[in-house]
Amino acid sequence: FDAFNADALRSVGLFYGVSPAEYAGPPGGTLSFVTRGGSKTRPQASLGVSTTSFSGTMESPLFNGRGSLLIAGRRSLFDLVEWFDNDRLISLGLDVDRESSVPSVLNTLNSRVLRPGASSALFYDLHGKLLVEDQSGKGRWIVNAYLGGDDTGHAAERLAVDPADSTRRVELRDVRTDNSWHNEIGGLRREGQLGANTFYRLHIFASAYGSDFQKDDYSYAARPDANPRASELLVDTLTIDNTLADRGGTASVVTRINDTEWTAGIDLHDYSTTYDEYAAPFSRRLEGNSSAAQFDTFVGATRNRRGATSSIGLRAHYYSPDARVRLSPRLLGSVGLAEGLVAFAGYARSHQFLHQLYIDTAPDARLWTLSTKAQPPGRADHITGGMRLQRGRFGLQVETYYKESSGIRQHETVVAHRRRRDTGLLLAPWVHDYDGRSSGLEVMLRRSWSTGLVSAAYTLSRSELKHDEIENGEWTFADWDRRHQIVLQLRFAVMPGVSATMQWQYGSEAPNVLANRFPDEPERLSDYHRMDVSISSAFRLSTARVSATASIYNVYDRNNTWYRTRLGVLDGPVADPRIRAAFVDVYDLGFRPSLALSIFLP
């Protein structure tokens, strides 16, 4: 949730399985952010500073307590203060010169192909919320606004082969990696009461997003049959510009009749996107502009009776590019078996009209695309079931699921690692018609007491993809497939006003994408595990409240493999050096301390 200032948020909800009908519920799940309202009783303010940013929040009552105003802002410190090796953190975020398993004999200054330079980064966000209640107390107006952006860059020098020189001479080039995005959101909402048990909501909104990614020395995954010299690297410029605009509105009504709560409403979206990609090695520019209108209607009913709860919903989508209507039914039920023990099961179909893509080795560069008539929307069918036990402060949940998907998209840079029958697949920026299937078992345990909490989660899962023209049309493991995952967390009070948190994460081996192209490569990467710890203190300083937190990420400084790639290294005699590719593991962030201090003014 880093793109949103936590000081401005009231709650964050995740619907990962069967979503209520009022949510579109795309196959990957729904994140719902709610900005908190300002104080209605007295003006308040807070200031905060951490190793990476500073922030401030101001809130004030309006109209004699009938309204409130909240303004919360945050700005990065990367370009203002040099501490905690923030320059290094920027380069890691851009995937520049990450620590890797380059053989020690090659890991010397004279054998390094990339020589890092200066970094720059600016991140900002600004939240605003204005709330005004009617004098009757039966309705209110809400105005929301959000501005956010990130502009990150890193300069370096790279040794590269001059493609115009038949002698394969190595030369030194200045290169840059830049990744920036911005997002502006505004909305006006009216909420009110129509009767004793009936409420309504009207909402109009507009959102604009844009991103620019450029890497002068992007490592392309050339096909072995196109480049038999597998020891050589194809390194050149990759540039992608992308925009997304979304304008629309929603109207809904909620009413209770006897023991059933009914919800009905409509959603309208007017989308437009632009996409411009330039891949220098192929002198190829891919451009595309898309627009679409989406009109949804939904109805849902939830009933509680005699220890059993049932929820039924239906969402209908009309999508203008193909002028089709698609249905997304939702079913979820639970029944009490004994004191505190509940069994549940559900089914949901969902459709995806708006898609988010990532670039290989640059997952922070997010791209948005629309479904079109030629590239239909994605679809998923999700079945889930399990049991929950809640006895006092002890909770246990066991859930199993199975999901089948179609119309999954992956960017060309990701697909390039796969064996393909048709080279024409990559004449488009992405492959749009992958099928997917996933299944899993999740176990979550939680035990709290007056001064602490312990929780544990274990997931056994399997995720696969299939395309008729890729990997001979066989099912292959998705890049994010990890068979076993564990998260353990312990929170406890050290002394009055001081608490500590310890969290350990584990993930079994992820697939090695290079194994698809190079037979000698291992099928899987190494296990991932790390421990993070933090200690927090809250106290009063005169009339102000102060909160301080010190954290350490990856306490035992383990080299966790993020991905595996071919990295350029210098080899051969000094008088006539050559660049060759070494197969290396690229590591995730290592030992990293962090400090944060917040002051809350009355």
Side-chain angles (χ1 to χ4, degrees):
F1 314 132
D2 289 348
F4 295 91
N5 186 351
D7 294 339
L9 296 178
R10 187 184 75 191
S11 62
V12 179
L14 171 63
F15 297 98
Y16 61 90
V18 181
S19 301
E22 56 263 37
Y23 290 97
T30 298
L31 272 174
S32 176
F33 294 88
V34 179
T35 304
R36 68 184 182 88
S39 172
K40 293 183 180 180
T41 56
R42 57 189 174 88
Q44 296 180 176
S46 66
L47 297 172
V49 63
S50 71
T51 52
T52 57
S53 65
F54 67 88
S55 61
T57 302
M58 185 276 291
E59 48 192 298
S60 174
L62 298 174
F63 308 112
N64 297 319
R66 288 194 300 108
S68 66
L69 175 66
L70 170 75
I71 298 176
R74 184 175 53 161
R75 188 193 189 279
S76 62
L77 289 173
F78 291 111
D79 56 341
L80 300 178
V81 182
E82 294 185 5
W83 59 8
F84 287 88
D85 201 16
N86 276 342
D87 205 51
R88 175 65 176 162
L89 190 62
I90 297 170
S91 65
L92 291 174
L94 290 170
D95 193 31
V96 176
D97 194 39
R98 278 182 173 264
E99 187 176 355
S100 65
S101 60
V102 174
S104 58
V105 67
L106 297 174
N107 197 18
T108 65
L109 183 61
N110 291 330
S111 64
R112 290 181 63 174
V113 170
L114 187 71
R115 299 172 184 179
S119 297
S120 62
L122 170 62
F123 173 83
Y124 67 91
D125 62 34
L126 182 65
H127 290 258
K129 185 170 185 177
L130 173 66
L131 186 151
V132 181
E133 293 184 347
D134 298 344
Q135 290 186 348
S136 64
K138 294 185 177 182
R140 60 182 182 176
W141 293 92
I142 300 173
V143 179
N144 271 305
Y146 168 82
L147 303 173
D150 191 4
D151 188 3
T152 311
H154 184 85
E157 293 181 320
R158 172 179 281 276
L159 292 169
V161 175
D162 182 359
D165 190 340
S166 60
T167 65
R168 316 295 294 172
R169 181 171 58 90
V170 175
E171 62 179 14
L172 188 64
R173 300 178 186 171
D174 292 328
V175 295
R176 281 193 62 83
T177 299
D178 292 287
N179 184 31
S180 63
W181 63 266
H182 64 86
N183 194 191
E184 298 85 37
I185 304 172
L188 172 64
R189 189 161 73 243
R190 170 67 181 176
E191 297 176 349
Q193 187 172 355
L194 293 175
N197 297 314
T198 304
F199 302 86
Y200 69 91
R201 186 185 70 170
L202 305 172
H203 184 206
I204 58 173
F205 60 87
S207 172
Y209 172 85
S211 67
D212 298 293
F213 175 82
Q214 177 170 331
K215 190 173 181 64
D216 295 335
D217 55 341
Y218 185 82
S219 295
Y220 289 84
R223 294 184 60 176
D225 55 355
N227 179 15
R229 301 181 65 178
S231 62
E232 293 187 1
L233 289 173
L234 184 57
V235 178
D236 214 324
T237 301
L238 174 64
T239 303
I240 302 177
D241 297 330
N242 177 229
T243 66
L244 165 66
D246 180 13
R247 302 158 292 266
T250 182
S252 62
V253 175
V254 179
T255 187
R256 176 172 288 277
I257 302 175
N258 298 324
D259 56 0
T260 303
E261 182 178 277
W262 291 86
T263 303
I266 59 174
D267 274 342
L268 176 64
H269 292 266
D270 179 27
Y271 296 117
S272 60
T273 63
T274 65
Y275 186 91
D276 186 347
E277 175 183 321
Y278 176 66
F282 316 113
S283 299
R284 182 184 68 204
R285 181 173 294 278
L286 301 168
E287 298 177 290
N289 300 332
S290 300
S291 61
Q294 181 182 341
F295 179 74
D296 287 8
T297 62
F298 59 86
V299 61
T302 301
R303 183 180 185 184
N304 295 284
R305 189 175 185 183
R306 296 178 181 177
T309 300
S310 60
S311 179
I312 302 175
L314 178 65
R315 194 174 183 97
H317 320 268
Y318 172 82
Y319 195 60
S320 65
D322 58 8
R324 282 187 55 190
V325 175
R326 295 171 171 85
L327 300 180
S328 295
R330 318 277 172 84
L331 305 170
L332 183 64
S334 63
V335 59
L337 302 179
E339 181 183 356
L341 180 62
V342 175
F344 61 90
Y347 163 79
R349 168 167 289 183
S350 56
H351 291 86
Q352 186 163 18
F353 304 89
L354 188 61
H355 310 263
Q356 187 185 69
L357 307 177
Y358 67 95
I359 303 171
D360 183 49
T361 73
D364 289 335
R366 298 304 174 99
L367 312 169
W368 291 95
T369 70
L370 279 174
S371 299
T372 63
K373 186 174 183 179
Q375 299 180 357
R379 191 185 78 183
D381 291 288
H382 188 123
I383 302 172
T384 184
M387 302 183 75
R388 286 190 298 268
L389 175 64
Q390 186 67 47
R391 296 279 180 86
R393 293 181 173 179
F394 173 83
L396 173 67
Q397 177 169 309
V398 179
E399 181 174 358
T400 184
Y401 68 92
Y402 178 76
K403 182 189 291 187
E404 285 189 350
S405 306
S406 62
I408 298 174
R409 297 191 178 195
Q410 284 201 310
H411 192 266
E412 58 175 337
T413 57
V414 180
V415 180
H417 292 292
R418 304 287 184 179
R419 294 189 300 271
R420 306 179 300 280
R421 293 176 183 167
D422 180 12
T423 56
L425 278 173
L426 292 192
L427 295 178
W430 51 79
V431 174
H432 69 276
D433 50 354
Y434 263 107
D435 292 327
R437 65 184 183 189
S438 59
S439 57
L441 171 69
E442 299 176 346
V443 181
M444 293 170 281
L445 181 149
R446 179 185 177 98
R447 174 68 169 92
S448 63
W449 61 95
S450 59
T451 58
L453 165 75
V454 60
S455 64
Y458 167 73
T459 301
L460 171 67
S461 64
R462 184 185 183 97
S463 296
E464 297 174 298
L465 297 174
K466 181 173 74 70
H467 190 284
D468 291 341
E469 300 298 324
I470 299 173
E471 301 289 356
N472 297 318
E474 298 176 354
W475 287 101
T476 58
F477 290 112
D479 299 346
W480 54 87
D481 176 78
R482 290 185 185 271
R483 196 58 36 80
H484 306 280
Q485 295 183 76
I486 301 172
V487 178
L488 304 176
Q489 187 181 85
L490 173 64
R491 283 188 289 171
F492 58 94
V494 178
M495 62 180 68
V498 180
S499 62
T501 301
M502 303 174 65
Q503 180 168 292
W504 185 76
Q505 300 183 38
Y506 169 83
S508 60
E509 312 97 325
N512 175 18
V513 295
L514 293 179
N516 300 309
R517 301 171 55 231
F518 301 100
D520 294 337
E521 278 290 287
E523 291 290 330
R524 295 266 174 170
L525 306 177
S526 58
D527 291 352
Y528 183 106
H529 59 85
R530 73 168 198 264
M531 177 177 286
D532 306 332
V533 300
S534 66
I535 186 166
S536 300
S537 176
F539 56 91
R540 285 198 169 272
L541 186 63
S542 184
T543 58
R545 291 185 297 113
V546 180
S547 173
T549 302
S551 305
I552 298 178
Y553 177 98
N554 198 353
V555 171
Y556 47 82
D557 197 21
R558 173 179 164 82
N559 286 330
N560 282 304
T561 301
W562 187 30
Y563 62 88
R564 188 166 174 82
T565 189
R566 294 187 304 152
L567 193 66
V569 295
L570 276 182
D571 198 11
V574 176
D576 185 24
R578 290 288 184 267
I579 296 177
R580 72 173 180 85
F583 291 85
V584 300
D585 294 327
V586 178
Y587 297 135
D588 195 5
L589 190 64
F591 182 90
R592 178 77 186 176
S594 174
L595 299 174
L597 178 68
S598 297
I599 301 176
F600 302 89
L601 305 175

